[in-house]
Amino acid sequence: MDNSAFEMHEGTRQHVSFVGKMNTISRMEEKRQRSLMSVFLVCLLACTITTAVGVLILSLVYINNTQLHPEPELQATTIPILQKAVDPKFRFLNHLPKSKVFEFPGGTIQWARYRNNIKDYLSTEEEAFGRSLNSQRSQMTLGTLRIKSNGLRAPHWHFNANEHGYLVQGTAWIGVVDDGHVVTTYNVTAGQVIFFPKNTLHWIKNVGNEDCFFLLFFSTHDELQTLDVDDVFFSTPEDIASRSLKPEGGINFIRTFHEQKEDQGVNLPHNLAELVTNASYTQSPDNLVWRYFYDLKGSKEYRFPGGIIQLAQYWKNGSELSKNEKIFSTFLNQHQNALALSTLRIYNNGLRQPHFHFNANEMGYVISGCAKVGIINTQGTTEFDIHVGDVIFFPIGNQHYIKSACDEDLLFILAFSTGDQLQTLDMDDYLQATADHILAQLFFKKQSEFKKIPKFKEDQAINLP
C-alpha cells in the first residue's frame, strides 16, 4: 500500500536540500566576484600611481634640460622662420665676384661650384647655384685662376675631373706629365685653350709681366678633388721619400725640405731670384702639344648677323680642321666626360635666339658687356640680368636665350658637358621644320598666317632686329 504522505515528505526534504546548496553556491560566487573586483581595483590604483610617477619624472627631466640647454631649442625654432626664400634665378646664376677669394702667395682662386659642407657657402644664393649643379648632374664646375707675374700654379692633378682652361689675359708656360712619363710643355697666350685629362699631373707658370687670368672648367658636379705635389711630398715618410728618390745625402737631404706655413697652391717665393737662375720655357713637338692645346682665337669663325661663335670641340667630320686641330679633336673624344669650349660674341642689341642642346648642359662666364637671359622649362620662364664676372648655367634640354643689353659687345666663354659634337636646335629652325597645318591646329591660327614667318638664307642663330 502506497504511503503518499511519506512521498510528499521526502520530496520536501529534497527540495529544501537543493535550495540550501544553491544559496551556498550563490554566496561563494558573490565572494569570488568581490575578490576579483578588489584585485582589479588594486591593479588599477597601481597603474595610476606608476603613470603619475613616470609623467612627473619626464616633466622634471624636460624642465631641467630646457634650463641647461636653452640655445639649441631656440635655434631649432627660429632658423626656419628667419631663413629667407631664395630667388629661383639663383639656380641658374652665380655672382662670382661676390664669392670667397682664396688667397695664395702667387695669386687667387674663386669658385662657382657644389660644396659637400653647407658651411662652405657664403650665401644661400651661392648654395642654391651649387645644389642646382649637383642635382642636375651638370658635369661642370667653374673656377677663376689669377697668377701673378712669375707665379706658379703648383704641379697637381685632379682625381675626379678633366680640366679645360681658357686664358683671358697674359702668357703662360704649361707642363703636362702623362701616364707614359712623357713630359709635354708649351706656351699659351690670351684666347687659347688648354686641356688636362683626369689624373694627369700638370702645372701653369706665368712667364709674362702682367697677371695671367684663366677660366677653368672641370667635368664634375661633385666637390673637386685635387692633390698638389708639395702636399704629397710632405705627407710621405722621410725614409720612404729617400728610398724612392735616392738623393745625394740620402735621408739627410730629404730633411732639408721645410713645409711652408702658407698654402703654396699658387706659389711665388719672395726670394725667387736666388732660387732660380736659368729658367727655360721649351715647346714640345706639335704632335704632343696639340693633344693639350687648342688655338681657339685662331680657329674658324662662325659668323651670324648678330655675332660670332668659335668652338673647341670634337668634330665628327673633321675635314675643315687643320692637321693640329684634328689631333686635339681626336684626343678630346678619347676621354670620358670631356667638355667642349666656345666663345660667344653678341653685338650690341644682338640676340642669341631661343635654343636648347640635346646632349649637354651649358655653363658660361661673362668676359665683357651685359645681357638679359631667359630660361624656359617645365616650371615656366626665369629671366634675369647678367654682368661681367657672372656665371650662368643652362641644364640640358632647357630652352634659353641671351640678349645683349650694353653698348659694348657681350663676350661669353661657354663650356658644354659633352666630349662629342655639340647638338643644338634653334627656335626658328624647329618652327620652320614643323608643318604649317600642325602649327595652325596648335595655335588656333589660319594655316596661311604661318607664311608670314620668313626663311633666311643666312643662319639667324645670333640675329639683329
Side-chain angles (χ1 to χ4, degrees):
M1 180 175 176
D2 294 333
N3 190 338
S4 58
F6 180 78
E7 291 177 353
M8 289 178 63
H9 178 72
E10 283 293 317
T12 302
R13 286 175 59 190
Q14 291 176 357
H15 176 70
V16 170
S17 176
F18 173 76
V19 171
K21 289 179 179 180
M22 289 299 295
N23 289 336
T24 302
I25 291 172
S26 177
R27 287 193 298 272
M28 291 176 66
E29 182 65 21
E30 289 177 359
K31 184 177 181 180
R32 187 175 68 84
Q33 288 180 354
R34 284 196 299 271
S35 298
L36 288 174
M37 180 61 72
S38 299
V39 171
F40 171 75
L41 291 174
V42 170
C43 291
L44 180 61
L45 180 61
C47 290
T48 303
I49 294 172
T50 302
T51 302
V53 171
V55 170
L56 179 61
I57 292 172
L58 288 175
S59 299
L60 292 173
V61 170
Y62 175 77
I63 293 171
N64 186 51
N65 284 342
T66 303
Q67 292 174 346
L68 290 175
H69 308 288
E71 292 181 3
E73 183 67 24
L74 179 63
Q75 290 176 354
T77 55
T78 56
I79 285 180
I81 297 173
L82 295 177
Q83 188 174 14
K84 64 177 183 179
V86 181
D87 192 320
K89 72 181 182 183
F90 289 107
R91 291 178 295 160
F92 314 107
L93 171 66
N94 180 293
H95 292 310
L96 191 59
K98 296 182 179 179
S99 67
K100 181 177 179 179
V101 179
F102 293 85
E103 298 274 0
F104 303 91
T108 59
I109 296 176
Q110 287 182 282
W111 293 104
R113 70 178 186 184
Y114 168 75
R115 299 179 182 280
N116 291 328
N117 189 345
I118 191 174
K119 295 180 180 178
D120 289 337
Y121 293 111
L122 287 186
S123 65
T124 53
E125 291 81 7
E126 189 178 65
E127 179 191 349
F129 185 81
R131 288 186 178 277
S132 178
L133 293 183
N134 189 258
S135 64
Q136 295 286 342
R137 306 190 67 79
S138 66
Q139 294 183 6
M140 284 189 290
T141 284
L142 183 144
T144 61
L145 169 64
R146 186 175 295 277
I147 308 176
K148 300 174 184 177
S149 179
N150 292 316
L152 168 70
R153 175 62 183 100
H156 64 283
W157 66 91
H158 308 290
F159 293 94
N160 62 335
N162 300 301
E163 179 179 354
H164 299 251
Y166 178 89
L167 182 54
V168 179
Q169 171 190 299
T171 305
W173 186 62
I174 309 295
V176 186
V177 183
D178 67 17
D179 56 358
H181 309 156
V182 176
V183 181
T184 301
T185 55
Y186 56 97
N187 294 279
V188 294
T189 58
Q192 296 176 329
V193 166
I194 56 177
F195 170 56
F196 307 127
K198 180 170 60 176
N199 289 321
T200 300
L201 187 142
H202 56 279
W203 68 80
I204 304 173
K205 163 80 174 181
N206 184 343
V207 294
N209 295 321
E210 63 177 341
D211 287 359
C212 278
F213 183 63
F214 280 92
L215 294 178
L216 303 175
F217 296 89
F218 301 87
S219 61
T220 181
H221 46 263
D222 292 321
E223 184 98 55
L224 184 64
Q225 299 174 12
T226 302
L227 199 56
D228 290 357
V229 165
D230 61 328
D231 292 331
V232 174
F233 182 87
F234 289 112
S235 298
T236 303
E238 293 176 342
D239 60 324
I240 300 300
S242 178
R243 288 189 59 178
S244 301
L245 302 176
K246 299 187 184 306
E248 183 181 336
I251 196 169
N252 290 326
F253 174 79
I254 298 299
R255 287 171 177 167
T256 63
F257 288 80
H258 301 288
E259 188 172 4
Q260 302 297 311
K261 293 182 179 179
E262 198 168 4
D263 193 327
Q264 298 298 305
V266 189
N267 159 279
L268 185 58
H270 67 278
N271 61 338
L272 182 62
E274 299 175 16
L275 303 175
V276 178
T277 56
N278 187 22
S280 175
Y281 305 113
T282 59
Q283 181 98 352
S284 297
D286 283 351
N287 65 316
L288 295 178
V289 170
W290 281 80
R291 294 184 301 167
Y292 309 110
F293 166 81
Y294 192 85
D295 185 14
L296 185 56
K297 69 178 181 181
S299 66
K300 180 178 178 180
E301 294 183 344
Y302 294 86
R303 291 187 168 271
F304 306 91
I308 303 171
I309 293 176
Q310 290 178 284
L311 288 158
Q313 67 168 7
Y314 167 72
W315 296 92
K316 292 180 180 179
N317 181 3
S319 59
E320 295 186 2
L321 300 178
S322 69
K323 177 183 176 181
N324 288 335
E325 288 174 339
K326 288 179 181 178
I327 295 173
F328 179 84
S329 174
T330 302
F331 189 67
L332 191 69
N333 191 244
Q334 292 172 355
H335 292 83
Q336 276 191 329
N337 298 328
L339 305 178
L341 258 60
S342 168
T343 54
L344 169 63
R345 183 179 296 277
I346 304 178
Y347 304 144
N348 176 35
N349 207 29
L351 170 70
R352 176 65 181 99
Q353 68 160 285
H355 64 285
F356 65 93
H357 308 291
F358 293 91
N359 63 334
N361 298 297
E362 178 180 355
M363 180 179 281
Y365 179 95
V366 183
I367 296 289
S368 64
C370 62
K372 185 172 289 295
V373 170
I375 301 173
I376 304 168
N377 55 24
T378 55
Q379 285 79 46
T381 300
T382 302
E383 196 172 58
F384 51 87
D385 297 323
I386 54 173
H387 303 86
V388 173
D390 283 342
V391 177
I392 48 91
F393 170 59
F394 304 131
I396 187 170
N398 283 221
Q399 182 160 281
H400 52 279
Y401 55 87
I402 305 170
K403 183 182 180 300
S404 178
C406 290
D407 292 337
E408 63 178 323
D409 290 354
L410 175 70
L411 179 60
F412 260 113
I413 307 302
L414 302 173
F416 303 90
S417 62
T418 180
D420 293 322
Q421 186 167 324
L422 184 64
Q423 299 173 6
T424 302
L425 192 59
D426 291 350
M427 185 177 189
D428 65 336
D429 291 329
Y430 64 71
L431 285 178
Q432 291 285 2
T434 304
D436 287 349
H437 63 86
I438 297 297
L439 295 175
Q441 181 173 339
L442 176 63
F443 291 104
F444 293 82
K445 201 171 184 67
K446 290 184 178 180
Q447 186 174 344
S448 59
E449 289 288 297
F450 292 95
K451 301 298 181 184
K452 295 179 180 179
I453 301 176
K455 292 183 179 180
F456 294 92
K457 292 181 180 180
E458 190 175 18
D459 194 326
Q460 298 293 303
I462 313 175
N463 66 27
L464 284 173

